[in-house]
Amino acid sequence: MTTPCSSASSRPVAGAPFRLIINGYGRIGRCYLRALHEAGISNEFEVVAINEPANLAGIAYLTRFDSTHGRFPAPVTAGDACLLIDGKPIAVTHATTPEAVDWRAYEPDLVIECSGRYGSRAELQRFLAAGCPRLLLSHPGNGADDVDATIVYGINHESLEGSERLVSNASCTTNAAVPVLDLLQREFGIEQALLTTLHSAMNDQPLIDGYHHPDLRRTRSAMQSIIPVSTGLARGIERLLPSLAGRVQAKAIRVPTHNVSAIDMVLTLSRDIDGREVNRLLRAAAEGCYRHLIAYSDEPHASIDFNHDPHSAIVDGAQTRMVGPRMLNLMVWFDNEWGFASRMVDVTRCWLTRMRAARLRLSLN
Ligand SMILES: NC(=O)c1ccc[n+]([C@@H]2O[C@H](COP(=O)([O-])OP(=O)(O)OC[C@H]3O[C@@H](n4cnc5c(N)ncnc54)[C@H](OP(=O)(O)O)[C@@H]3O)[C@@H](O)[C@H]2O)c1
């Protein structure tokens, strides 16, 4: 395990800008492009193409105006088969299969897979066979074996060697839960963990009831109900923190808000503690090495307060509770779109920097 303080990816990238393609330009695809733009690192990265089935006018419109994150902070227009951001063109294609895009023509270093439509290694290999050099997924894939590495930035990004071809950025919830659980596990020990995610609505739910999804509950109106859905969170946590294997369970409940989610954590700790110790630990992490990933607050918050917050997790210290000396209840907020997209940018930077360094070493040998 490494801490964000030892991050190689905070160093600037030497050489020509890395060339990126975004496949699937929905909520996360658009947040990713915007997070790159807002991070002010456009000298290091160039988004050279977007592949998205929607038409160009719609792509330009939803880049420019976003109901959740507001207007794009630069001029956006539609050009000739391209999106223009601040006058700079990004080619746009509208294919629905990896084979239908001439990836090599764009000479990409990395394709950011944000369609969520490809989960197995066989499906992901189709991109590599069609000319993509490497893929960063905005989801966990079907299982750990379907990707070369699953990265939660701040926890295991230092394990990236640069030679991987299929890397998953895990899920937004895993990115929120793992840094907090890792700190608690190391400081107090965790015997059991039950996590309930209260997740805002997503585009895999209809606005009103409709035949839309194989998960029957996801056919119900997103705006009318609190809807329990299946989640791979427990397995996702165990993938990153193997010391918790067999001791984590999770539930996910979709709620009728448009963005920002929360995790209600119930943990049995390995030793007696005082709840104030937990808050002290998490506040110190948020003010220290983990400040890029974790924030801490004990103000009286509602979820909307964290819209467009780039942290992976915001600990709500006012909600910390103890039942006896070992059962801890914690509440953690996260912007499931912006926080996650910001971590995808971090992983992109770290991975490609290492890829370039590995190439340089090879050429010097
Ligand atoms: N939203 C979040 O908070 C969040 C957070 C973390 C991770 N994720 C994960 O990220 C993935 C995308 O989620 P999202 O919320 O961004 O979904 P989304 O808004 O539905 O975006 C997906 C986009 O990909 C397009 N698409 C569909 N098939 C495609 C194909 N074959 N090739 C290229 N593009 C294709 C979709 O077009 P159509 O609409 O026409 O199908 C849509 O515009 C999912 O796996 C999700 O679990 C989401």
Side-chain angles (χ1 to χ4, degrees), residues 23-28 51-53 95-96 114-118 138-139 172 199 202-203 336-337 340:
N23 187 65
Y25 192 60
R27 295 307 307 156
I28 295 302
N51 179 52
E52 157 62 44
T96 52
C114 299
S115 76
R117 300 298 163 106
Y118 307 91
S138 70
H139 54 88
C172 52
H199 199 292
M202 286 175 61
N203 274 336
N336 43 283
E337 294 186 348
F340 182 78

Side-chain angles (χ1 to χ4, degrees), residues 256-271:
T257 54
H258 63 276
N259 189 33
V260 183
S261 302
I263 310 174
D264 183 74
M265 298 186 177
V266 178
L267 311 172
T268 312
L269 303 174
S270 306
R271 66 174 172 85

Side-chain angles (χ1 to χ4, degrees), residues 22-31 50-54 59 62 93-98 101 103 113-118 126-127 137-141 169-173 175 199-204 218 254 258-261 334-338 340-341 344:
I22 300 174
N23 187 65
Y25 192 60
R27 295 307 307 156
I28 295 302
R30 294 196 294 275
C31 280
I50 289 169
N51 179 52
E52 157 62 44
I59 287 172
L62 287 187
T93 58
H94 305 281
T96 52
T97 63
V101 181
W103 306 99
E113 203 311 276
C114 299
S115 76
R117 300 298 163 106
Y118 307 91
R126 291 170 57 193
F127 284 88
L137 311 187
S138 70
H139 54 88
N169 201 63
S171 73
C172 52
T173 320
N175 272 271
H199 199 292
S200 59
M202 286 175 61
N203 274 336
D204 61 358
R218 281 182 224 208
R254 296 277 178 90
H258 63 276
N259 189 33
V260 183
S261 302
F334 60 106
D335 181 327
N336 43 283
E337 294 186 348
W338 193 251
F340 182 78
M344 282 194 91

